[in-house]
Structures are given as C-alpha cells and as structure tokens.
Coordinates of all heavy atoms in Angstrom, one line a residue:
E18 N 17.3 48.0 -71.7 CA 16.0 47.4 -71.8 C 15.6 47.0 -73.2 O 14.8 46.2 -73.5 CB 14.9 48.2 -71.2 CG 14.7 49.5 -71.9 CD 15.6 50.7 -71.4 OE1 16.5 50.4 -70.6 OE2 15.3 51.8 -71.7
L19 N 16.3 47.7 -74.2 CA 15.9 47.4 -75.6 C 16.3 45.9 -76.0 O 15.7 45.4 -76.9 CB 16.7 48.3 -76.6 CG 16.3 49.8 -76.5 CD1 17.2 50.6 -77.4 CD2 14.9 50.0 -77.0
L20 N 17.2 45.4 -75.3 CA 17.7 44.0 -75.7 C 17.0 42.9 -74.8 O 17.2 41.8 -75.0 CB 19.2 43.9 -75.5 CG 20.0 44.6 -76.5 CD1 21.5 44.4 -76.2 CD2 19.8 44.0 -77.9
L21 N 16.1 43.4 -73.9 CA 15.4 42.4 -73.1 C 14.2 41.9 -73.9 O 13.5 42.7 -74.5 CB 15.0 43.0 -71.8 CG 16.2 43.4 -70.9 CD1 15.6 44.1 -69.6 CD2 17.0 42.2 -70.5
P22 N 13.9 40.6 -73.9 CA 12.7 40.1 -74.5 C 11.4 40.7 -73.9 O 11.3 40.7 -72.7 CB 12.8 38.6 -74.3 CG 14.2 38.3 -73.9 CD 14.7 39.5 -73.2
S23 N 10.6 41.2 -74.7 CA 9.3 41.8 -74.2 C 8.3 40.7 -74.0 O 8.3 39.6 -74.7 CB 8.8 42.9 -75.1 OG 8.6 42.4 -76.4
R24 N 7.3 41.0 -73.2 CA 6.2 40.0 -73.0 C 5.4 39.7 -74.2 O 4.9 38.6 -74.4 CB 5.3 40.5 -71.9 CG 6.0 40.5 -70.5 CD 5.0 41.0 -69.5 NE 5.6 41.1 -68.2 CZ 5.0 41.6 -67.1 NH1 3.7 42.0 -67.2 NH2 5.6 41.6 -65.9
D25 N 5.3 40.7 -75.1 CA 4.5 40.5 -76.3 C 5.3 39.9 -77.5 O 4.8 39.8 -78.6 CB 3.8 41.8 -76.7 CG 4.8 42.9 -77.0 OD1 6.0 42.8 -76.6 OD2 4.4 43.9 -77.6
K26 N 6.6 39.7 -77.3 CA 7.4 39.1 -78.4 C 8.2 37.9 -77.9 O 9.1 38.0 -77.0 CB 8.4 40.2 -78.9 CG 9.1 39.8 -80.1 CD 9.8 40.9 -80.8 CE 10.5 40.5 -82.1 NZ 11.2 41.5 -82.8
L27 N 7.9 36.8 -78.4 CA 8.5 35.5 -78.0 C 9.9 35.5 -78.6 O 10.3 36.1 -79.5 CB 7.7 34.3 -78.6 CG 6.3 34.2 -78.0 CD1 5.6 33.1 -78.8 CD2 6.3 33.9 -76.5
P28 N 10.8 34.6 -78.0 CA 12.2 34.4 -78.5 C 12.1 33.9 -79.9 O 11.0 33.4 -80.3 CB 12.8 33.4 -77.5 CG 12.0 33.5 -76.3 CD 10.6 33.9 -76.7
F29 N 13.2 33.9 -80.7 CA 13.2 33.5 -82.0 C 12.9 32.0 -82.1 O 13.6 31.2 -81.4 CB 14.5 33.8 -82.7 CG 14.5 33.6 -84.2 CD1 14.2 34.7 -85.0 CD2 14.9 32.4 -84.7 CE1 14.2 34.5 -86.4 CE2 14.9 32.3 -86.1 CZ 14.5 33.3 -86.9
N30 N 11.8 31.6 -82.8 CA 11.4 30.2 -82.8 C 11.0 29.7 -84.2 O 11.3 30.4 -85.2 CB 10.2 30.0 -81.8 CG 9.1 31.0 -82.1 OD1 9.0 31.5 -83.2 ND2 8.2 31.2 -81.1
H31 N 10.3 28.6 -84.2 CA 9.9 28.0 -85.5 C 9.1 29.0 -86.3 O 9.3 29.1 -87.5 CB 9.1 26.7 -85.2 CG 8.5 26.0 -86.4 ND1 9.3 25.1 -87.1 CD2 7.3 26.1 -87.0 CE1 8.6 24.7 -88.1 NE2 7.4 25.3 -88.1
E32 N 8.1 29.6 -85.7 CA 7.3 30.6 -86.4 C 8.1 31.8 -86.9 O 7.8 32.3 -88.0 CB 6.1 31.0 -85.5 CG 5.0 30.0 -85.3 CD 5.5 28.9 -84.3 OE1 6.4 29.1 -83.5 OE2 5.0 27.7 -84.4
S33 N 9.0 32.2 -86.1 CA 9.9 33.3 -86.5 C 10.7 33.0 -87.8 O 10.8 33.8 -88.7 CB 10.8 33.7 -85.4 OG 10.2 33.9 -84.2
E34 N 11.2 31.8 -87.8 CA 11.9 31.3 -88.9 C 11.1 31.2 -90.2 O 11.6 31.5 -91.3 CB 12.6 30.0 -88.6 CG 13.6 29.5 -89.7 CD 14.4 28.3 -89.3 OE1 13.7 27.2 -89.1 OE2 15.6 28.4 -89.1
I35 N 9.9 30.8 -90.1 CA 8.9 30.7 -91.2 C 8.8 32.1 -91.8 O 8.8 32.3 -93.0 CB 7.6 30.1 -90.8 CG1 7.7 28.6 -90.6 CG2 6.5 30.4 -91.9 CD1 6.4 28.0 -90.1
V36 N 8.7 33.1 -90.9 CA 8.5 34.5 -91.4 C 9.8 34.9 -92.2 O 9.7 35.5 -93.3 CB 8.3 35.5 -90.2 CG1 8.4 36.9 -90.7 CG2 6.9 35.2 -89.6
E37 N 11.0 34.6 -91.7 CA 12.2 35.0 -92.3 C 12.4 34.3 -93.7 O 12.7 34.9 -94.7 CB 13.4 34.6 -91.5 CG 13.5 35.5 -90.2 CD 13.9 36.9 -90.4 OE1 15.1 37.2 -90.5 OE2 13.0 37.7 -90.6
L38 N 12.1 33.0 -93.8 CA 12.2 32.2 -95.0 C 11.2 32.7 -96.0 O 11.5 32.8 -97.2 CB 12.1 30.7 -94.7 CG 13.3 30.1 -94.0 CD1 13.0 28.7 -93.5 CD2 14.6 30.1 -94.8
S39 N 10.0 33.0 -95.6 CA 8.9 33.5 -96.5 C 9.3 34.8 -97.1 O 9.1 35.1 -98.2 CB 7.6 33.6 -95.7 OG 7.1 32.4 -95.2
R40 N 10.0 35.6 -96.2 CA 10.5 36.9 -96.7 C 11.5 36.8 -97.8 O 11.6 37.5 -98.8 CB 11.0 37.7 -95.5 CG 11.4 39.2 -95.8 CD 11.5 40.0 -94.5 NE 12.5 39.4 -93.6 CZ 13.8 39.8 -93.6 NH1 14.2 40.7 -94.5 NH2 14.7 39.3 -92.8
F41 N 12.4 35.8 -97.6 CA 13.5 35.6 -98.6 C 12.9 35.1 -99.9 O 13.3 35.6 -101.0 CB 14.5 34.6 -98.0 CG 15.6 34.3 -99.0 CD1 16.8 35.1 -99.0 CD2 15.5 33.3 -99.9 CE1 17.8 34.8 -99.9 CE2 16.6 33.0 -100.9 CZ 17.7 33.8 -100.8
F42 N 12.1 34.1 -99.8 CA 11.6 33.5 -101.1 C 10.3 34.2 -101.7 O 9.9 33.8 -102.7 CB 11.2 32.0 -100.8 CG 12.4 31.1 -100.5 CD1 12.7 30.6 -99.3 CD2 13.2 30.8 -101.6 CE1 13.8 29.8 -99.1 CE2 14.3 30.0 -101.4 CZ 14.6 29.5 -100.1
K43 N 9.8 35.2 -101.0 CA 8.6 35.9 -101.4 C 7.5 34.9 -101.7 O 6.8 35.0 -102.7 CB 8.9 36.7 -102.7 CG 9.7 38.0 -102.5 CD 9.7 38.8 -103.7 CE 10.4 40.2 -103.5 NZ 10.4 41.0 -104.7
V44 N 7.3 34.0 -100.7 CA 6.2 33.0 -100.8 C 5.8 32.7 -99.4 O 6.6 32.8 -98.4 CB 6.7 31.7 -101.5 CG1 7.8 31.0 -100.7 CG2 5.5 30.8 -101.8
E45 N 4.5 32.4 -99.2 CA 4.0 32.1 -97.9 C 4.3 30.6 -97.5 O 3.7 29.7 -98.1 CB 2.5 32.4 -97.8 CG 2.0 32.2 -96.4 CD 0.5 32.7 -96.3 OE1 0.1 33.4 -97.1 OE2 -0.1 32.3 -95.3
L46 N 5.3 30.4 -96.6 CA 5.5 29.0 -96.2 C 4.7 28.7 -95.0 O 4.2 29.7 -94.3 CB 7.0 28.9 -95.8 CG 8.0 29.2 -96.9 CD1 9.4 29.1 -96.3 CD2 7.9 28.2 -98.0
G47 N 4.5 27.5 -94.7 CA 3.6 27.1 -93.6 C 4.0 25.8 -92.9 O 5.1 25.3 -93.2
P48 N 3.2 25.3 -92.1 CA 3.6 24.1 -91.3 C 3.8 22.8 -92.1 O 4.5 21.9 -91.6 CB 2.4 23.9 -90.3 CG 1.2 24.6 -91.0 CD 1.9 25.7 -91.7
R49 N 3.4 22.8 -93.3 CA 3.6 21.6 -94.2 C 4.9 21.6 -94.9 O 5.3 20.7 -95.5 CB 2.5 21.5 -95.3 CG 1.1 21.2 -94.7 CD 1.0 19.8 -94.0 NE 1.3 18.8 -95.0 CZ 1.6 17.5 -94.6 NH1 1.6 17.2 -93.3 NH2 1.8 16.6 -95.5
H50 N 5.6 22.7 -94.8 CA 6.9 22.8 -95.4 C 8.0 22.3 -94.5 O 7.9 22.5 -93.3 CB 7.3 24.3 -95.8 CG 6.6 24.7 -97.0 ND1 5.4 25.4 -97.0 CD2 7.0 24.7 -98.3 CE1 5.0 25.7 -98.2 NE2 5.9 25.3 -99.1
N51 N 8.9 21.5 -95.0 CA 10.1 21.0 -94.2 C 11.2 22.0 -94.2 O 11.9 22.2 -95.1 CB 10.6 19.7 -94.9 CG 11.6 19.0 -94.0 OD1 12.4 19.6 -93.4 ND2 11.5 17.6 -94.0
L52 N 11.2 22.7 -93.0 CA 12.2 23.8 -92.9 C 13.6 23.4 -93.0 O 14.5 24.1 -93.4 CB 12.0 24.6 -91.6 CG 10.6 25.3 -91.5 CD1 10.6 26.3 -90.3 CD2 10.2 26.1 -92.8
D53 N 13.9 22.1 -92.5 CA 15.3 21.6 -92.6 C 15.7 21.5 -94.0 O 16.8 21.8 -94.4 CB 15.4 20.3 -91.8 CG 15.4 20.4 -90.3 OD1 15.6 21.5 -89.8 OD2 15.2 19.4 -89.6
L54 N 14.8 20.9 -94.8 CA 15.2 20.7 -96.3 C 15.3 22.1 -96.9 O 16.2 22.3 -97.8 CB 14.1 19.9 -97.0 CG 14.0 18.4 -96.6 CD1 12.9 17.8 -97.4 CD2 15.3 17.7 -97.0
I55 N 14.5 23.0 -96.6 CA 14.6 24.4 -97.2 C 15.9 25.1 -96.8 O 16.5 25.7 -97.6 CB 13.3 25.2 -96.8 CG1 12.1 24.7 -97.5 CG2 13.5 26.7 -97.2 CD1 10.8 25.3 -97.0
C56 N 16.2 25.0 -95.5 CA 17.5 25.6 -95.0 C 18.7 24.9 -95.7 O 19.7 25.6 -96.0 CB 17.6 25.5 -93.5 SG 16.4 26.7 -92.7
D57 N 18.7 23.6 -95.8 CA 19.8 22.9 -96.5 C 19.9 23.4 -97.9 O 21.0 23.7 -98.4 CB 19.6 21.4 -96.4 CG 20.8 20.7 -96.9 OD1 21.9 20.9 -96.3 OD2 20.7 19.8 -97.7
F58 N 18.8 23.5 -98.6 CA 18.8 24.0 -100.0 C 19.3 25.4 -100.1 O 20.1 25.8 -101.0 CB 17.3 23.9 -100.5 CG 17.1 24.6 -101.8 CD1 17.6 24.1 -103.0 CD2 16.3 25.8 -101.9 CE1 17.3 24.7 -104.2 CE2 16.1 26.4 -103.1 CZ 16.6 25.8 -104.3

C-alpha cells in the first residue's frame, strides 16, 4: 500500500515539477516560468 497513490497526494504533475526545480535552484519558480526552457537549460 506504500506505493499506491493516496487520496491526499496527486500523481507527479506540473506543480510537483515546480517544487523539484525550485528545490534545485533554491529559488521560487511559478506559473510565469517556462519549465520546458528551464529543463532544457
């Protein structure tokens, strides 16, 4: 059951990726950032 998605946790999505990239760059990214360009960089 540890690997089953819980009701209170959505699958990995756009918002999840913003959290990961913000963690890497130590900066708060948001909806105005182009995640495709950031990932390519």
Side-chain angles (χ1 to χ4, degrees):
E18 65 273 10
L19 291 175
L20 287 176
L21 297 176
S23 59
R24 292 180 181 178
D25 61 342
K26 187 167 184 179
L27 296 172
F29 194 86
N30 55 21
H31 179 85
E32 288 72 26
S33 309
E34 187 172 67
I35 287 177
V36 172
E37 292 289 272
L38 290 170
S39 298
R40 187 165 61 90
F41 180 88
F42 289 110
K43 283 190 176 180
V44 66
E45 187 174 341
L46 301 176
R49 293 294 299 167
H50 284 91
N51 188 323
L52 298 191
D53 285 347
L54 288 178
I55 291 173
C56 285
D57 190 53
F58 170 70

